[in-house]
Amino acid sequence: MANPYAAHDAFVAPGRRAPEAWRVALMIVCFAAVFVTSPSVFALLLPTESAVEAFQEGTTAFGTLAQFFFFGIAAGGLVVLLRLVHGRGFWSLIGDQQLALRHLILVTWGVTLWLLLLQVLPPWINPDDLAETRNLAMWVLLIPVTLVALLIQVGTEELFFRGYLQQQFAVLNPSPMAWMIMPSVLFGMLHFLNGQGAADGTLWAIWAGVLGVACADLTARTGTLGAAVGLHLANNAFALLIVAIEGWPASGVALFLYPYEDPETYAQGFEALLDPVAVLQLFGMLTTVLIMWLAARIALRV
């Protein structure tokens, strides 16, 4: 049987130039510091106090998009650290550039088509339940800018988790348990902070961890970062552009807005994970990841 991860060896090769574990540990610590400070640096670049406030709240179109554009600061820091610690550059995280672009386009469109299909299936959005439906023309005009902002955000995350960490962990240990699972666990842990409480955060973490495994698998199958970025981009675009809750962070570019709810309503402890609603929610989240992964493989024919 052919090795489905045959292309992975060439993708990992740049990581062999300076493979020491201490370098990886140093990169993780330093990039974490860069990432944490990036919003403050980005805020310093904004022209007015009102712009800074909008960025921090993320409830307007400007604020929401700014919250994703700031990832560019972190990406720049990652590239600088990569040169200082490992002596290699940006493109060493990508794989073959032409193939990566092709994989990015194929997977973005392939996953988008399947997600569009899911949107037209029930349960449908009831207009009577909405607080607002935004102006369609303005929403459409914002889509290209939103996609650029999201490409910066997901690109930064993929560069670090499926680019840098996957390469270096594979050099340190060729087992998929190392290069596929460990970066995905870290990716999931980071997303725990997206939740409104322990239970909600855990759902976020499990979902993100499984998404990370899907992206790592696609990266290993194709030998480039393009497929992982494409899947991640399509997922985040649908999460951002279709439905949000009025007044919540990252709600500024959604077409449909549900009425505001107090986030504390969702701040439940771990015991809430045993609730059938939470189990059903997790099942739906993981099923969507599976569908996206299969759609990406169909688009790539891998």
Side-chain angles (χ1 to χ4, degrees), residues 178-230:
W179 55 260
M180 182 182 287
I181 302 301
M182 288 178 62
S184 299
V185 169
L186 293 174
F187 187 62
M189 290 170 61
L190 178 66
H191 282 74
F192 180 86
L193 301 174
N194 288 7
Q196 299 298 333
D200 193 37
T202 300
L203 293 178
W204 270 96
I206 294 172
W207 166 81
V210 174
L211 180 70
V213 169
C215 289
D217 172 83
L218 293 174
T219 301
R221 288 177 183 274
T222 60
T224 80
L225 211 58
V229 173

Coordinates of all heavy atoms in Angstrom, one line a residue, residues 178-230:
A178 N 3.5 12.6 17.3 CA 4.3 13.8 17.7 C 3.9 14.9 16.8 O 3.5 16.0 17.3 CB 5.8 13.5 17.5
W179 N 4.0 14.8 15.5 CA 3.9 15.9 14.6 C 2.4 16.2 14.3 O 2.1 17.4 13.9 CB 4.7 15.8 13.3 CG 4.4 14.5 12.5 CD1 5.2 13.4 12.5 CD2 3.4 14.3 11.6 NE1 4.7 12.5 11.6 CE2 3.5 13.0 11.0 CE3 2.3 15.1 11.1 CZ2 2.7 12.5 10.1 CZ3 1.4 14.5 10.2 CH2 1.6 13.2 9.7
M180 N 1.5 15.3 14.4 CA 0.1 15.5 14.2 C -0.7 15.9 15.4 O -1.4 16.9 15.5 CB -0.6 14.3 13.5 CG -2.0 14.5 13.1 SD -2.8 13.0 12.4 CE -2.0 13.1 10.8
I181 N -0.5 15.1 16.5 CA -1.3 15.3 17.7 C -0.8 16.4 18.6 O -1.6 17.2 19.1 CB -1.3 13.9 18.5 CG1 -1.9 12.8 17.6 CG2 -2.2 14.1 19.7 CD1 -3.3 13.1 17.1
M182 N 0.5 16.5 18.8 CA 1.0 17.5 19.8 C 0.7 18.9 19.4 O 0.2 19.7 20.2 CB 2.5 17.2 20.0 CG 2.8 16.0 20.9 SD 4.6 15.7 21.1 CE 5.1 17.2 22.0
P183 N 1.0 19.3 18.1 CA 0.6 20.7 17.7 C -0.9 20.9 17.8 O -1.3 22.0 18.1 CB 1.1 20.8 16.3 CG 2.2 19.8 16.2 CD 1.8 18.6 17.0
S184 N -1.7 19.9 17.5 CA -3.1 20.0 17.6 C -3.6 20.2 19.0 O -4.6 20.9 19.2 CB -3.8 18.8 16.9 OG -3.4 18.7 15.6
V185 N -3.0 19.5 19.9 CA -3.4 19.7 21.3 C -3.1 21.1 21.8 O -3.9 21.8 22.4 CB -2.6 18.7 22.2 CG1 -2.8 19.0 23.7 CG2 -3.1 17.2 22.0
L186 N -1.9 21.6 21.4 CA -1.6 23.0 21.7 C -2.5 24.0 21.1 O -3.0 25.0 21.7 CB -0.1 23.3 21.3 CG 1.0 22.6 22.0 CD1 2.3 22.9 21.4 CD2 1.0 23.0 23.5
F187 N -2.9 23.7 19.8 CA -3.9 24.5 19.1 C -5.2 24.5 19.8 O -5.9 25.6 20.0 CB -4.0 24.0 17.7 CG -4.8 24.8 16.8 CD1 -4.5 26.1 16.4 CD2 -6.0 24.3 16.2 CE1 -5.2 26.9 15.6 CE2 -6.7 25.0 15.3 CZ -6.4 26.3 15.0
G188 N -5.7 23.3 20.3 CA -6.9 23.2 21.0 C -6.8 24.0 22.3 O -7.8 24.7 22.7
M189 N -5.7 23.9 23.1 CA -5.6 24.5 24.3 C -5.7 26.1 24.2 O -6.3 26.8 25.0 CB -4.3 24.2 25.0 CG -4.2 22.7 25.5 SD -2.5 22.2 26.0 CE -2.2 23.4 27.3
L190 N -5.1 26.6 23.1 CA -5.2 28.0 22.8 C -6.6 28.5 22.6 O -7.0 29.5 23.1 CB -4.4 28.3 21.6 CG -4.4 29.8 21.1 CD1 -3.7 30.7 22.2 CD2 -3.7 29.9 19.8
H191 N -7.5 27.6 22.0 CA -8.8 28.0 21.7 C -9.8 27.8 22.9 O -10.9 28.3 22.9 CB -9.4 27.2 20.5 CG -8.9 27.7 19.2 ND1 -7.6 27.5 18.8 CD2 -9.5 28.4 18.2 CE1 -7.5 28.0 17.6 NE2 -8.6 28.6 17.2
F192 N -9.3 27.2 24.0 CA -10.1 27.1 25.2 C -10.5 28.5 25.7 O -11.6 28.7 26.2 CB -9.3 26.4 26.3 CG -10.0 26.3 27.6 CD1 -10.9 25.2 27.9 CD2 -9.8 27.3 28.6 CE1 -11.6 25.1 29.1 CE2 -10.5 27.2 29.8 CZ -11.4 26.1 30.0
L193 N -9.6 29.5 25.4 CA -9.9 30.9 25.8 C -11.0 31.5 25.1 O -11.5 32.6 25.5 CB -8.6 31.7 25.7 CG -7.4 31.2 26.5 CD1 -6.1 32.1 26.1 CD2 -7.6 31.3 28.0
N194 N -11.4 30.9 24.0 CA -12.6 31.5 23.2 C -13.9 31.2 23.9 O -14.9 31.9 23.5 CB -12.6 30.9 21.8 CG -11.5 31.4 20.9 OD1 -10.6 32.1 21.3 ND2 -11.5 31.0 19.6
G195 N -13.9 30.3 24.8 CA -15.2 29.9 25.4 C -15.6 30.9 26.5 O -14.8 31.7 27.0
Q196 N -16.9 30.9 26.8 CA -17.5 31.7 27.8 C -17.4 31.1 29.2 O -17.7 31.8 30.2 CB -19.0 32.0 27.5 CG -19.2 32.7 26.2 CD -18.5 34.1 26.1 OE1 -18.3 34.7 27.2 NE2 -18.1 34.5 24.9
G197 N -17.0 29.9 29.4 CA -16.8 29.2 30.6 C -16.1 27.9 30.4 O -15.6 27.6 29.3
A198 N -16.0 27.1 31.5 CA -15.2 25.9 31.4 C -15.8 24.9 30.3 O -15.0 24.4 29.5 CB -15.1 25.2 32.8
A199 N -17.1 24.8 30.4 CA -17.7 23.8 29.4 C -17.6 24.3 28.0 O -17.2 23.6 27.1 CB -19.2 23.6 29.8
D200 N -17.9 25.6 27.8 CA -17.9 26.2 26.4 C -16.4 26.2 25.9 O -16.2 25.9 24.8 CB -18.4 27.6 26.5 CG -18.7 28.2 25.1 OD1 -19.1 27.4 24.2 OD2 -18.5 29.4 24.9
G201 N -15.5 26.5 26.8 CA -14.1 26.5 26.4 C -13.6 25.1 26.0 O -12.8 25.0 25.1
T202 N -14.1 24.1 26.7 CA -13.7 22.7 26.4 C -14.2 22.3 25.1 O -13.5 21.6 24.3 CB -14.2 21.8 27.5 OG1 -13.7 22.1 28.8 CG2 -13.8 20.3 27.2
L203 N -15.5 22.7 24.7 CA -16.0 22.4 23.4 C -15.2 23.1 22.3 O -14.8 22.4 21.3 CB -17.5 22.9 23.3 CG -18.5 22.2 24.2 CD1 -19.9 22.8 24.0 CD2 -18.5 20.7 23.8
W204 N -14.8 24.3 22.6 CA -13.9 25.0 21.6 C -12.6 24.3 21.5 O -12.1 24.1 20.3 CB -13.6 26.4 22.1 CG -14.6 27.5 21.6 CD1 -15.7 27.9 22.3 CD2 -14.6 28.2 20.4 NE1 -16.3 28.9 21.6 CE2 -15.7 29.1 20.4 CE3 -13.7 28.2 19.3 CZ2 -15.9 29.9 19.3 CZ3 -13.9 29.1 18.3 CH2 -15.0 29.9 18.3
A205 N -12.0 23.9 22.6 CA -10.7 23.2 22.6 C -10.7 21.9 21.8 O -9.8 21.6 21.0 CB -10.2 23.0 24.0
I206 N -11.8 21.1 22.1 CA -11.9 19.8 21.4 C -12.1 20.0 19.9 O -11.4 19.4 19.0 CB -13.1 19.0 21.9 CG1 -12.8 18.6 23.4 CG2 -13.3 17.7 21.1 CD1 -14.0 18.0 24.1
W207 N -13.0 21.0 19.5 CA -13.2 21.2 18.1 C -11.9 21.7 17.4 O -11.6 21.2 16.4 CB -14.3 22.3 18.0 CG -14.3 22.9 16.6 CD1 -15.0 22.4 15.5 CD2 -13.7 24.1 16.2 NE1 -14.8 23.2 14.4 CE2 -14.0 24.3 14.8 CE3 -12.9 25.1 16.8 CZ2 -13.5 25.3 14.0 CZ3 -12.4 26.1 16.0 CH2 -12.7 26.3 14.7
A208 N -11.2 22.6 18.1 CA -10.0 23.2 17.4 C -8.9 22.1 17.3 O -8.2 22.0 16.4 CB -9.5 24.4 18.3
G209 N -8.8 21.2 18.4 CA -7.9 20.1 18.3 C -8.1 19.2 17.1 O -7.2 18.8 16.4
V210 N -9.4 18.9 16.9 CA -9.7 18.0 15.8 C -9.5 18.7 14.5 O -9.1 18.1 13.5 CB -11.2 17.5 16.0 CG1 -11.6 16.7 14.7 CG2 -11.3 16.6 17.2
L211 N -9.9 20.0 14.4 CA -9.6 20.7 13.2 C -8.1 20.7 12.9 O -7.6 20.6 11.8 CB -10.1 22.2 13.4 CG -9.8 23.1 12.1 CD1 -10.7 22.7 11.0 CD2 -10.1 24.5 12.5
G212 N -7.3 20.8 14.0 CA -5.8 20.8 13.8 C -5.3 19.5 13.3 O -4.4 19.4 12.4
V213 N -5.9 18.4 13.7 CA -5.6 17.1 13.2 C -5.9 17.0 11.7 O -5.1 16.5 10.9 CB -6.3 15.9 14.0 CG1 -6.1 14.6 13.3 CG2 -5.7 15.9 15.4
A214 N -7.1 17.5 11.3 CA -7.5 17.5 9.9 C -6.5 18.3 9.1 O -6.1 17.8 8.0 CB -8.9 18.0 9.8
C215 N -6.1 19.4 9.6 CA -5.2 20.3 8.8 C -3.8 19.6 8.7 O -3.1 19.7 7.7 CB -5.1 21.7 9.5 SG -6.6 22.7 9.2
A216 N -3.3 19.0 9.8 CA -2.0 18.3 9.8 C -2.0 17.2 8.8 O -1.1 16.9 8.1 CB -1.7 17.8 11.2
D217 N -3.1 16.4 8.8 CA -3.3 15.3 7.8 C -3.2 15.8 6.4 O -2.4 15.3 5.6 CB -4.6 14.6 8.1 CG -4.9 13.6 7.0 OD1 -4.4 12.4 7.1 OD2 -5.6 13.9 6.0
L218 N -3.9 16.9 6.1 CA -3.8 17.4 4.7 C -2.4 17.9 4.4 O -2.0 17.8 3.2 CB -4.9 18.6 4.6 CG -6.3 18.2 4.7 CD1 -7.2 19.4 4.7 CD2 -6.7 17.2 3.5
T219 N -1.8 18.6 5.3 CA -0.4 19.1 5.1 C 0.5 17.9 4.8 O 1.4 18.0 3.9 CB 0.1 19.8 6.3 OG1 -0.8 20.9 6.6 CG2 1.5 20.4 6.1
A220 N 0.4 16.8 5.6 CA 1.3 15.6 5.3 C 1.0 15.0 4.0 O 1.8 14.4 3.4 CB 1.1 14.7 6.5
R221 N -0.3 14.9 3.6 CA -0.7 14.3 2.4 C -0.2 15.1 1.1 O 0.1 14.5 0.1 CB -2.2 14.1 2.3 CG -2.8 13.1 3.2 CD -4.3 13.0 3.2 NE -4.8 12.0 4.1 CZ -5.0 10.7 3.9 NH1 -4.6 10.3 2.7 NH2 -5.4 9.9 4.8
T222 N -0.2 16.4 1.2 CA 0.1 17.2 0.1 C 1.5 17.8 0.1 O 2.1 18.1 -1.0 CB -0.8 18.5 0.0 OG1 -0.7 19.2 1.3 CG2 -2.3 18.0 -0.1
G223 N 2.2 17.8 1.2 CA 3.5 18.4 1.3 C 3.6 19.9 1.2 O 4.7 20.4 1.1
T224 N 2.4 20.6 1.4 CA 2.4 22.0 1.4 C 1.4 22.5 2.5 O 0.6 21.7 3.0 CB 2.0 22.7 0.1 OG1 0.6 22.6 0.0 CG2 2.7 22.0 -1.1
L225 N 1.5 23.8 2.8 CA 0.6 24.3 3.8 C -0.7 24.8 3.2 O -1.6 25.2 3.9 CB 1.3 25.5 4.5 CG 1.0 25.8 6.0 CD1 1.2 24.6 6.8 CD2 1.8 27.0 6.4
G226 N -0.8 24.8 1.8 CA -1.9 25.4 1.1 C -3.3 24.8 1.5 O -4.2 25.5 1.7
A227 N -3.3 23.5 1.6 CA -4.6 22.8 1.9 C -5.1 23.1 3.3 O -6.3 23.4 3.5 CB -4.5 21.3 1.7
A228 N -4.2 23.2 4.3 CA -4.6 23.5 5.6 C -5.1 24.9 5.7 O -6.1 25.2 6.4 CB -3.4 23.3 6.6
V229 N -4.4 25.8 5.1 CA -4.9 27.2 5.1 C -6.2 27.3 4.4 O -7.1 28.1 4.9 CB -3.9 28.1 4.4 CG1 -4.4 29.6 4.2 CG2 -2.5 28.2 5.1
G230 N -6.4 26.6 3.3 CA -7.7 26.7 2.6 C -8.9 26.2 3.4 O -9.9 26.8 3.5

